Amino acid sequence: MSTALYIIKSPPVPALWFPHSLQKTPKFEIPIFRNPNISNSTSNCNSSKMLLLHRANAAPSLQVAVSEAMNLVQLSQPTWQSALLSNVVIFVLGSPILVSGLSPSGIAAAFLLGTLTWRAFGPSGFLLVATYFIIGTAATKVKMAQKEAQGVAEKRKGRRGPGSVIGSSAAGCICAFLSIFGVGGVEFSRLWQLGFVASFCTKLSDTVSSEIGKAYGKTTYLVTTFKVVPRGTEGAVSVEGTFAGIFASILLASVGCLTGQINAPEAVTCVIASQIANLGESIIGAALQEKPGFKWLNNDAVNIINISMGSILAVLMQQIVLQNLHT
């Protein structure tokens, strides 16, 4: 039987990352002995190879985008560019969750918060805020029909607007800016990070205690007089809501600890500061909110006061601890 020798030459392999780095790879040849009777399939084989080569050449543009995105995300020091790109990707992928807990304008405000958080504290800071949002949204949705029937549910079925986003993150944003601009130098950078975590521990504890209290609280008391009042009354607390809020604060502080934002003693500081701040918030709500002369003191304003107290208390407590250690 006669045979013929055919040579198959591999096509150039495109570089994996950038088009401008494409280089020709050495060609290699493999001798194959084939029956000449099947030589008619050669043209079909060549067509298939050309199609594969065309598809391979179309890939670099996508590979460039993915490569640049990964390089930016993996930068050791976050930049505004990496923060913006990371938030775009995360917000697109997480849009089903976002629309369940935020209004369109609330999503826009959350995007600014997320970008600022990533720039200041990197992926770990962003993860902390994302955890806060998921737990807070879940607590808000608990027994929503019952809350609506009782008239104590959040508006828009719990979808928060920009005022709520800003009111819940104002102290954290200030800590983020202080960290970005290096106010106080390296010595204070850790304190700004602690204040950031404490502010969200405080707000999550407040949200969970309020929402769980409205859903499951058997008896609610006005914190200033311990008088029994209906669920949803400003300044009212319940045993069920209080314990749920403490647990939420511990959980978020643990996330901050596990991601390296804070250490274990600082996590304890965040929990203690959050509970003191929430007690203060309840007193303000019971004594002043919706009272004559304090119409400006709405929920968003009280939220700002609440998280600011939690953040400031955590920083002051940590400063006292550090001073005692140095003496």
Side-chain angles (χ1 to χ4, degrees):
M1 180 182 296
S2 62
T3 58
L5 177 63
Y6 291 89
I7 303 299
I8 296 180
K9 298 181 178 180
S10 67
V13 179
L16 292 178
W17 302 113
F18 299 100
H20 59 263
S21 66
L22 291 176
Q23 297 178 353
K24 293 185 178 180
T25 58
K27 298 179 181 179
F28 59 90
E29 299 180 348
I30 303 176
I32 298 179
F33 294 91
R34 300 181 58 187
N35 193 315
N37 293 329
I38 62 173
S39 60
N40 292 333
S41 64
T42 303
S43 59
N44 293 334
C45 181
N46 290 336
S47 298
S48 298
K49 290 192 293 182
M50 291 298 294
L51 179 60
L52 290 174
L53 181 59
H54 175 73
R55 291 177 178 175
N57 289 334
S61 58
L62 177 60
Q63 292 170 345
V64 169
V66 174
S67 172
E68 291 182 348
M70 291 303 297
N71 287 338
L72 286 172
V73 170
Q74 294 174 356
L75 285 175
S76 57
Q77 185 67 29
T79 64
W80 286 113
Q81 187 180 8
S82 67
L84 184 62
L85 180 58
S86 300
N87 271 262
V88 169
V89 174
I90 293 172
F91 270 64
V92 170
L93 295 177
S95 56
I97 300 176
L98 290 169
V99 297
S100 69
L102 295 169
S103 66
S105 55
I107 292 176
F111 181 83
L112 296 177
L113 169 63
T115 302
L116 176 63
T117 298
W118 193 293
R119 172 62 182 85
F121 303 115
S124 59
F126 186 93
L127 178 61
L128 184 90
V129 177
T131 304
Y132 154 78
F133 171 74
I134 293 172
I135 297 176
T137 299
T140 303
K141 300 292 184 181
V142 171
K143 289 195 174 184
M144 177 58 72
Q146 172 187 304
K147 294 174 185 175
E148 288 178 331
Q150 296 174 348
V152 296
E154 290 291 326
K155 299 177 181 178
R156 299 182 294 270
K157 292 190 176 295
R159 298 174 68 204
R160 314 276 179 165
S164 179
V165 174
I166 295 171
S168 301
S169 64
C173 289
I174 292 174
C175 290
F177 277 117
L178 291 173
S179 178
I180 291 172
F181 292 108
V183 177
V186 178
E187 294 182 357
F188 279 80
S189 62
R190 187 76 180 181
L191 290 177
W192 305 143
Q193 204 161 16
L194 173 65
F196 175 82
V197 176
S199 70
F200 284 99
C201 286
T202 301
K203 183 52 192 163
L204 182 63
S205 179
D206 174 53
T207 299
V208 171
S209 62
S210 176
E211 296 298 335
I212 297 302
K214 287 187 288 188
Y216 296 104
K218 294 180 180 179
T219 307
T220 51
Y221 304 90
L222 200 63
V223 71
T224 52
T225 62
F226 291 100
K227 178 182 177 182
V228 177
V229 293
R231 293 177 181 176
T233 302
E234 296 296 343
V237 296
S238 67
V239 174
E240 296 83 359
T242 299
F243 278 103
I246 294 173
F247 176 76
S249 179
I250 293 173
L251 181 60
L252 194 62
S254 299
V255 172
C257 187
L258 291 173
T259 56
Q261 291 276 293
I262 54 177
N263 56 35
E266 290 171 341
V268 174
T269 299
C270 287
V271 174
I272 295 174
S274 69
Q275 299 313 302
I276 297 174
N278 283 338
L279 177 60
E281 187 259 357
S282 295
I283 294 174
I284 292 173
L288 302 176
Q289 197 169 358
E290 297 182 353
K291 299 296 190 295
F294 292 94
K295 295 298 182 181
W296 58 270
L297 196 63
N298 57 19
N299 284 334
D300 295 335
V302 172
N303 283 339
I304 293 176
I305 296 172
N306 180 30
I307 62 175
S308 297
M309 284 193 297
S311 182
I312 293 171
L313 279 171
V315 171
L316 291 177
M317 289 168 64
Q318 185 65 14
Q319 278 288 80
I320 293 173
V321 170
L322 292 176
Q323 288 178 357
N324 288 336
L325 289 176
H326 291 310
T327 57

